[in-house]
Structures are given as C-alpha cells and as structure tokens.
Amino acid sequence: MSPLELWFPSFSTRLPAWRGIRSRFFLGLALLLGMAVPLAAAPSVSPWEPLFKGIDLMRGTNSSAAGDFQNRMVMYCLRVDLQDPDIRLLPTPRLTNFSQGSRETAGMTVSRFVENHGLQVAVNANFFDPQEYYLAEGTPMYVSGLQVSEGKVVSPQNTAERTASVLFDVANRATVVHTNWPAVPTIGVYSAVTGDYPVVVKGVNIGRQYLNRPGFIHDTNPRTAIGVSLDRRFLYLLCIDGRQSHSTGAYDFETGAWMLLVGAYDAVNMDGGGSATMAMESSTGESVRINLPSAVADSGKERTVGSHFGVFAKPLPGYIDDLTAIPDDVAASITWTTPELATTRLEFGPTVDLGQSTDLVASPTTRHAVLLRSLVAATDYFYRAVSVSAVDGSTHASSVRRLRTVSYSLPLEVIPINGAWRHAAGAVDGKAWISPVYDDAAWDGPGNGVLWVHTSRTSPAAGVEPVGSRITSYNLATGYPYITYYFRTRFQAGTISPGTRLRFVGRIDDGAVLYLNGTELHRLRMPVAPESITSSTLASWYPCSGDATCDDVFEVSGDGFLTSGENLLAVEVHNYNARSADMTFGLSLAIAQPRVERPELTLSTDASGTSLSWSRGGFLLQESGSPDGPWMDLAGPVVIGPYAIDVQAPERFYRLSR
C-alpha cells in the first residue's frame, strides 16, 4: 500500500464514472478537504495512475517543515508521454479578430477550455490581462510572454519580463528556454507557453534564489508549473493548492522540489494564485476539476483566464476500444472494436441513467456499428456500448459517454445588436407587458441599441459598442437609475423546424429575464426559477467589472416558444445594486435550424484500391444491383466510411439512407 492510500482509503459506494480515476480519489480528497486527516511525516506521493492513453496522474502531500518543504501542501501532477503518437498539445488559440497586445485570446475557465475544445486535460498557463478574474467567458484577453498555438503566434515575446518558455515542434519535441530574451526565433515552433521564471534548471532546484526578492509572486501561493524530463519524453503539468486549510501553498523552492520529485529536469513557474487550476474530461464529455483552486474555495466560481495549456489523448485501451460517435442533426453513428468476436448492443438515453437500448445484434464481430435514429437536433444524449464475448460469454460495457446533435444551417440574424426597442422604466404592473397583444404605444422609443442610462455621465462606460440611444428615465427620488428597465421588440421568423436554436449575443448590465411570445425563456445573472421576479429584484451578479464592455453569449431552444411569422421578445434588465449609476442593454438574436441537405457520397481510387467515403454521421450505406432497387443495408451495418468496394464484382449501386 502506498503512503497516500493510508489516507485515501477505498470506499464501496456509487460514484460518477469518471474515466480512468478510481472512486477513492474523489472521496478521499473530499475527506482531506473537509476534516483533519493524519498526514505522513514526510512527502508522500501516489503511484502514477493512468487517466488516458499517454496521460497519468500523481497526487502528493507532505507535513509542514518536512525535508525541502516548509508549508503544508497538496500537489497534483499530470505526466504526458510526448512520444505517444496520439498526444496533441493545444495552448489557447488566438482570436479570429486577432490583434496582438489587446485581442489575442478569448478568456474562459480551464474547465470550459476542456469542454469547448474536446480536450482530455488542461491547466492554466501564461499570465494575462486584464487581471479581472470573473469576466464573461469570451472576453478578449492579452497574454504575457510567448504563446504559440498550432503553429500560429498568439503572443510574441516582446519584453524582458516573463521569459521562461517551453517550446514544442509539430512532433511534440520539447525545448526549455529559461530566459527567452532576446527572444528565440519561432520558426518550427508549433506550440509554446511561457511562465515568469525557471524553478528547476538542468536538474537543480534554483527556487531558493527568489526568497529575498520583492514581489507577492515569491510568497507562499497556489502554483501552476510546467516541466519536462531529461530525455524530453515526459511533460509534467503540476498544480499545488493554496490559501486553504488542507494546503497552504508553496514557495518557489517548494515548487521546484515537487518538480524534481515527479521527474522533471527543467521546470518553470506559470501563472498561479487563484488561477491555478487542473481539469480533465469525464466519460460524458464534461469537465471535472482535479485540484481545488482557491478562487473556487473563496467564491464558488472558477476564474476566467486568458491562457490555457491543453492536451488531446485517446481513451485507455480496454475490451471495448475505439468507441466513436459521429452525430448529425437527428441521427448518430456509433462504432467500436473488441479484441475478439462479440455481440453488439448500445444503451442510450437523454440522461446518464440511459433507459433505452438498440436491438441486440447476436452475430459476433470485432467491428461494431450502430445507427441511432429519431434523435432531436441540438440535444445531449448519453450512451454505453455493450458486447458479450463469443469466446467465454463474459459481458463488457464501456463507460457512459455523451454526444450532442448540433448540426444546423447558418444562423439567420433576426434582431441586430443595434436593433430598435420600445422601453419603459420603474415598476410595470404584473406581467401583462410580456404579451404580444400588450399595447406599448405609451412606452418610450423605439430607441436603437445599445441603449443606456447613466446619472453621472453623458456617455456609457468606455468600451460599450455600439453606442446607441440614451435613456433619460431615472428615479428622481433616489437620483439613481431604476432597479428595473423593460424592453420590447418584434421580429419575423419563417417556417420553424423542431430542434431550432436561438443564439443571443448581448451587452447587458447587469442581469436580465427574457420572454418570448409571453413565456419566460431565459434568466441571465438573476435568481433561479421558480423564484419570482419583481421590479425590485436585484441581479445576482454583474459582467465585466460592472460595465457591459464584453459579450454575453448564450443559446436556448426555440421549441415551444418560437412561431412562424411575427414574434415578440420582451426583456427586463435589473441592476445588481439599487445605487448603481448606470444600466446598459443591447441584444442580438439569430435563429439556427437543423440542416436538411443530403450527405455527399464520393468514390475514390488510389494505390490501396477503390472506396466510398462520406463525411457526415447518422446514415447507413446501402447497395443494389439496380438504381431502382431493391436496396439492402450492407452487413455491419456500415455507418462510417471509407468502405472498400470490389471493382471486379458485378455492377453495384450505392446510396446513403436513414
């Protein structure tokens, strides 16, 4: 038994099926954080535990004043095998409307970075600005130091500060530049991130040299560090919890000591503090934090950061391997392999409890395929592959995974951000105002967005774009804007299909409730339903440090709300503070419907032979001896390409079908 297992005991209880992490880790960690737990007298580390193919996790702790350590710490380290051919690295990509020095990356939490990019693990990376930690996700950020993502320079090394860089070429070969100034050329650099300074150089812990230097960064803090092994085979992503009872945090030399202990030969100190976060993908595609960031402990919220370092990896090999889902709008193709002949069945449903199953395919095979039909577009589904061995009769099931049907036509904007709204302020009686038949002729306007009121200035906050109409109504009794302002506008929609999604992009200060055709549609930074909302209800939070200088982006289903023809969108905007000096509102709406175009079936010939290919999931390949049929499903069934065909066989015709 390892030292950690003495205080991470096993428990026989039902836990979520996190891929690759044993149940005792999460329960043991919960006990560690919630109660006094006897710790080992010296630093203790767990064995490397496989999470994904090429990625292992180690956890460690120590008692205070033990060996190279002065503080009480809990450490987590991911070891990434850079020689694994399936490992891919992803620092935060640059924004589409990229502008070095101001609009380099889109801020988001580490957990959201894992989910948005389909990563398996990620940590925070470079320092960034603005250092406002709870901005709306998507807020443009400026990254400090060199950052390269997929061969594109996101942030250049243009100062002599924060110069400890870790560089990778397209084959994941690593180079550590402890002081990247003057900056090294980026030719051939495919990925790069940069911290402030090195803590381990050529196997030597140099962290103690920072002890007498000024600056909060050299005090005891939560830490993120990145290192590589002597042979450059392994990459180490390390986080140390801090500012909490279970883990105080680390000095620089303590970070270096942990890095040497896990196997690093060179290591650099990255952005840390409350930003120090390590997250991984669960089996259902959602992210789960591995460590406990101090920001989450303090506020319940993970910080929005401007720089991340993520890793793609394949699942750990098992009896059911290569489990792949290719969803379309109303169907999905699911395939997997087994090492021996086995049966085929898929359990699925709208929740992790599943509840539905495809028919059993008793004919044994090693290559399994299932087509799910009659799904709903833009909807989450959970599934699990089940195969019974034809060799010994044993039953094998994969972990529960998640897919989402997300295929749409291009969104059609029906309300622009500078659209016109009628508006009122103060207390509007009841909810009659949200109805399409309500007469708003007595309301002010229409005024064009972004609409705003400010009682101490003649312009909105700097950065509010586009600047639209000024609202002059405010509470004369208090001298401040009203707590609540009300807005109405109408738009046209064409024929509506099931699965239609509504995409909103807004500049809203502070919270809002949206109603479509008289029915509540969405709450943004407001008390959650079913709590009632009145004109005196305050917003639960605010965006962008209190100003609408960044976008709120959210999607909701239009099913049951949207109608063909004219629609009425009503919005009430609430201040976070009754003494707030301003209110801001602008909102665009785009409608996206499931696509209906047919998939393209292509025939190609190369040195290996002739094959059929198609790019979309959710279709069966069928064949016939005549273009008029009869058509038969190919055995398998065949739901993904390429499919090799025998050109010497009698003439055959092929098509895709559901």
Side-chain angles (χ1 to χ4, degrees):
M1 179 177 292
S2 71
L4 276 190
E5 289 177 319
L6 295 173
W7 50 274
F8 275 3
S10 298
F11 292 86
S12 57
T13 187
R14 183 178 180 183
L15 288 173
W18 307 120
R19 179 166 62 214
I21 292 188
R22 294 192 296 266
S23 302
R24 65 183 176 193
F25 166 51
F26 287 98
L27 274 181
L29 182 57
L31 286 178
L32 173 65
L33 302 184
M35 60 185 295
V37 180
L39 296 176
S44 303
V45 295
S46 70
W48 288 109
E49 184 168 2
L51 299 184
F52 305 92
K53 182 174 176 285
I55 301 180
D56 303 316
L57 172 68
M58 175 185 284
R59 306 174 297 278
T61 188
N62 72 297
S63 61
S64 60
D68 290 330
F69 303 103
Q70 293 182 6
N71 294 294
R72 177 183 176 121
M73 287 167 283
V74 173
M75 173 279 300
Y76 315 82
C77 185
L78 295 167
R79 182 179 65 183
V80 181
D81 186 350
L82 296 174
Q83 294 182 11
D84 187 304
D86 298 313
I87 291 291
R88 290 193 297 122
L89 309 178
L90 184 72
T92 311
R94 70 187 190 186
L95 282 171
T96 303
N97 54 346
F98 170 74
S99 175
Q100 281 183 347
S102 59
R103 299 179 64 88
E104 294 180 333
T105 66
M108 66 185 72
T109 65
V110 175
S111 294
R112 184 73 66 184
F113 186 67
V114 168
E115 293 183 2
N116 285 0
H117 293 281
L119 295 157
Q120 278 57 66
V121 297
V123 296
N124 64 299
N126 294 40
F127 292 79
F128 62 93
D129 284 312
Q131 293 278 320
E132 298 174 11
Y133 298 120
Y134 302 106
L135 296 176
E137 293 194 319
T139 300
M141 297 282 193
Y142 166 71
V143 177
S144 299
L146 178 66
Q147 182 164 309
V148 181
S149 182
E150 298 181 304
K152 297 178 181 178
V153 175
V154 176
S155 172
Q157 186 66 53
N158 51 17
T159 72
E161 297 180 343
R162 293 174 178 163
T163 59
S165 299
V166 186
L167 320 176
F168 306 87
D169 65 12
V170 70
N172 292 339
R173 288 184 289 260
T175 301
V176 180
V177 182
H178 299 109
T179 306
N180 188 19
W181 190 258
V184 300
T186 57
I187 298 173
V189 177
Y190 192 74
S191 306
V193 289
T194 299
D196 204 336
Y197 46 82
V199 291
V200 176
V201 176
K202 296 182 179 180
V204 177
N205 184 350
I206 66 168
R208 288 189 181 274
Q209 73 181 30
Y210 306 114
L211 275 175
N212 296 320
R213 295 190 184 183
F216 178 73
I217 191 172
H218 299 302
D219 294 340
T220 300
N221 285 299
R223 300 280 178 175
T224 296
I226 295 179
V228 294
S229 60
L230 172 61
D231 60 5
R232 298 316 196 231
R233 174 176 177 176
F234 293 109
L235 167 70
Y236 301 98
L237 308 176
L238 181 141
C239 279
I240 301 170
D241 285 349
R243 303 172 190 165
Q244 300 169 74
S245 60
H246 76 282
S247 185
T248 307
Y251 285 116
D252 295 307
F253 72 87
E254 293 173 315
T255 306
W258 281 117
M259 270 296 188
L260 287 172
L261 190 151
V262 300
Y265 185 72
D266 291 278
V268 300
N269 183 72
M270 309 301 291
D271 187 17
S275 300
T277 305
M278 179 182 291
M280 64 170 283
E281 179 197 39
S282 72
S283 65
T284 57
E286 299 167 318
S287 63
V288 56
R289 286 186 295 270
I290 295 175
N291 74 317
L292 181 55
S294 62
V296 176
D298 289 341
S299 68
K301 296 183 178 182
E302 190 177 323
R303 281 185 179 178
T304 302
V305 299
S307 177
H308 318 76
F309 190 90
V311 184
F312 294 97
K314 286 192 173 182
L316 292 169
Y319 189 89
I320 293 178
D321 279 335
D322 305 314
L323 182 56
T324 303
I326 307 177
D328 206 64
D329 48 4
V330 294
S333 301
I334 316 289
T335 61
W336 68 93
T337 63
T338 53
E340 59 192 15
L341 295 173
T343 62
T344 303
R345 184 168 61 87
L346 192 81
E347 297 174 347
F348 67 99
T351 70
V352 292
D353 294 327
L354 307 178
Q356 302 178 63
S357 175
T358 60
D359 293 336
L360 172 68
V361 179
S363 176
T365 182
T366 59
R367 303 180 64 85
H368 308 262
V370 170
L371 178 66
L372 292 180
R373 298 183 175 94
S374 301
L375 304 180
V376 178
T379 301
D380 287 331
Y381 289 90
F382 298 85
Y383 65 97
R384 175 171 58 200
V386 181
S387 289
V388 178
S389 169
V391 177
D392 60 11
S394 57
T395 300
H396 302 269
S398 71
S399 59
V400 175
R401 306 276 185 95
R402 181 179 64 169
L403 65 84
R404 181 173 179 81
T405 51
V406 293
S407 300
Y408 296 100
S409 61
L410 291 176
L412 174 66
E413 187 175 67
V414 293
I415 302 175
I417 190 67
N418 61 349
W421 299 76
R422 301 196 71 87
H423 51 89
V428 175
D429 294 335
K431 291 295 184 184
W433 68 277
I434 70 176
S435 170
V437 299
Y438 178 81
D439 184 3
D440 59 14
W443 286 26
D444 294 331
N448 287 59
V450 172
L451 295 110
W452 56 277
V453 57
H454 206 301
T455 54
S456 60
R457 290 168 29 182
T458 57
S459 62
V464 174
E465 299 174 354
V467 176
S469 303
R470 182 180 185 183
I471 298 173
T472 57
S473 299
Y474 66 94
N475 191 337
L476 296 176
T478 65
Y480 293 97
Y482 291 101
I483 291 175
T484 307
Y485 286 78
Y486 303 85
F487 302 87
R488 286 166 53 95
T489 193
R490 298 178 187 272
F491 64 92
Q492 297 290 324
T495 302
I496 305 301
S497 302
T500 296
R501 301 290 292 179
L502 307 177
R503 186 176 192 271
F504 292 93
V505 179
R507 295 293 181 97
I508 301 173
D509 177 15
D510 293 304
V513 184
L514 282 64
Y515 306 89
L516 184 55
N517 297 322
T519 302
E520 183 177 320
L521 179 70
H522 183 72
R523 298 188 182 192
L524 176 70
R525 293 187 292 272
M526 293 295 293
V528 298
E531 183 172 338
S532 61
I533 304 294
T534 70
S535 60
S536 62
T537 304
L538 295 172
S540 56
W541 196 243
Y542 51 83
C544 312
S545 299
D547 294 311
T549 55
C550 55
D551 289 339
D552 284 305
V553 181
F554 53 93
E555 282 192 6
V556 295
S557 172
D559 292 347
F561 297 93
L562 193 65
T563 62
S564 297
E566 186 175 78
N567 292 263
L568 185 282
L569 181 63
V571 183
E572 54 183 292
V573 177
H574 294 248
N575 260 312
Y576 174 74
N577 190 318
R579 297 172 66 85
S580 172
D582 64 339
M583 184 285 309
T584 311
F585 171 71
L587 190 65
S588 70
L589 168 61
I591 300 175
Q593 300 198 57
R595 61 183 179 183
V596 295
E597 72 271 16
R598 295 180 178 181
E600 182 178 356
L601 185 62
T602 59
L603 180 71
S604 61
T605 301
D606 55 26
S608 61
T610 301
S611 62
L612 292 167
S613 299
W614 59 102
S615 59
R616 288 171 58 183
F619 292 88
L620 288 168
L621 184 63
Q622 295 183 322
E623 67 175 0
S624 174
S626 165
D628 298 323
W631 293 92
M632 299 291 293
D633 296 345
L634 283 157
V638 178
V639 297
I640 60 172
Y643 175 76
I645 60 175
D646 183 2
V647 295
Q648 303 300 322
E651 184 178 64
R652 308 297 292 171
F653 296 85
Y654 298 89
R655 73 176 187 183
L656 294 173
S657 173
R658 283 183 177 166

